[in-house]
Amino acid sequence: MMNLTLKVWRQANADAKGNLETYQIKEVSPDMSFLEMMDVLNEELIEKGIDPVAFDHDCREGICGMCSMFINGEAHGPDRLVTTCQLHMRKFKDGDTITIEPFRAKAFPVIKDLTVDRSSFDRIQQAGGFVSVNTSGNTQDANAIPIEKHNADKAFDAAACIGCGACVATCKNASAMLFVSAKVSQYALLPQGRVEATDRVLNMVNQMDEEGFGNCTNTGACEVECPKGISLENIARMNREYLYASLKG
Ligand code: SF4
Ligand code: FES
């Protein structure tokens, strides 16, 4: 069991100033997930009549991309290739001080405490992160279209992006290039996605810029902190797609 000091970002609403509050938490099991530890903290705060800490979560199994948190200066904490819900307290030691902040970026404004508004990602997706399918009854079976194994694997790897925003929170420029490039690549590599490829990349990149994300300067920090191991190679692919689409358009 561990006794820990938590320094948690408390911010009542988007316009409030916000500050780090210190809480002591006792008897934390190393087998708890980070979010379970936060649940225990919140139960204690509620018992004391203090407003519990607001944080995002949904599936708690590394799929939905809802959980966030910047833990000791790292998006999703000190472990590699895991989301905050899959981070375990065994990664910390008895007596540790853990600083917990929201994902910070202009395009992710704080709603309350550790909860940020990531609807900018939704708007980028809506700008082109889909394939239009005519469902009139004459649709071709997708499995009837041959796809090279190499491309199918790469498309699948890109599709593993859960839209968590850790790449943005980690990047010193708050760039969303890793996220957008994964969403562009998962279609660009497949014949079904080629039909709308030109419009897709132009529209998604334009929306990304409109939302106020920064420029990519190839620091590579996003790839290190991405819980799904999305490769920088997707950014290079998106840049090629964008250049081709700009010349064509
Ligand atoms: S690229 Fe990785 S870090 Fe960025 S949103 Fe997708 S899963 Fe999260
Ligand atoms: S709560 Fe769904 S990925 Fe963490």
Side-chain angles (χ1 to χ4, degrees):
M1 291 292 182
M2 296 179 281
N3 294 338
L4 303 164
T5 302
L6 305 179
K7 289 182 181 291
V8 184
W9 185 260
R10 302 302 315 258
Q11 183 174 336
N13 55 58
D15 303 322
K17 193 161 168 281
N19 64 293
L20 285 170
E21 287 285 339
T22 304
Y23 304 108
Q24 304 296 333
I25 183 161
K26 293 190 178 12
E27 312 240 323
V28 172
S29 159
D31 296 329
M32 277 181 187
S33 75
F34 201 87
L35 297 189
E36 283 167 341
M37 185 277 295
M38 293 298 292
D39 292 338
V40 173
L41 171 71
N42 275 346
E43 275 171 28
E44 289 178 10
L45 293 179
I46 291 167
E47 270 172 29
K48 288 181 192 154
I50 301 170
D51 194 23
V53 180
F55 62 88
D56 270 327
H57 61 102
D58 190 359
C59 70
R60 295 201 175 199
E61 51 187 14
I63 299 169
C64 72
M66 278 302 287
C67 60
S68 47
M69 297 195 199
F70 217 62
I71 302 163
N72 284 349
E74 286 186 85
H76 296 297
D79 209 356
R80 292 280 86 91
L81 298 174
V82 294
T83 50
T84 298
C85 60
Q86 300 269 284
L87 174 67
H88 281 86
M89 295 313 295
R90 67 183 76 99
K91 289 285 161 189
F92 301 90
K93 297 190 306 295
D94 184 34
D96 272 0
T97 297
I98 307 175
T99 304
I100 310 164
E101 296 170 89
F103 279 2
R104 294 192 192 277
K106 194 173 84 184
F108 289 167
V110 171
I111 298 169
K112 186 180 179 187
D113 298 333
L114 305 173
T115 311
V116 299
D117 180 354
R118 284 172 284 182
S119 56
S120 47
F121 268 18
D122 298 337
R123 290 187 290 273
I124 294 171
Q125 278 285 73
Q126 284 157 9
F130 52 83
V131 169
S132 305
V133 178
N134 179 351
T135 52
S136 60
N138 298 321
T139 44
Q140 186 180 358
D141 182 348
N143 290 329
I145 304 171
I147 298 166
E148 235 181 87
K149 171 89 168 82
H150 179 72
N151 285 345
D153 287 349
K154 288 207 173 300
F156 193 84
D157 288 347
C161 166
I162 54 174
C164 65
C167 44
V168 173
T170 301
C171 176
K172 67 182 169 83
N173 311 315
S175 165
M177 287 287 271
L178 196 64
F179 163 73
V180 182
S181 70
K183 299 300 174 194
V184 164
S185 290
Q186 77 180 69
Y187 296 117
L189 286 154
L190 301 176
Q192 294 92 334
R194 292 305 327 164
V195 183
E196 296 163 298
T198 307
D199 286 347
R200 176 179 302 111
V201 71
L202 293 176
N203 291 341
M204 290 183 84
V205 169
N206 288 346
Q207 190 65 38
M208 174 183 82
D209 291 341
E210 252 176 54
E211 297 290 348
F213 291 102
N215 291 325
C216 172
T217 53
N218 292 311
T219 63
C222 53
E223 185 186 53
V224 177
E225 293 294 344
C226 171
K228 296 296 162 184
I230 300 298
S231 164
L232 288 176
E233 148 189 333
N234 290 300
I235 296 184
R237 181 179 301 103
M238 182 168 84
N239 286 337
R240 285 195 301 274
E241 288 281 323
Y242 187 81
L243 183 66
Y244 178 73
S246 309
L247 293 174
K248 202 173 145 197

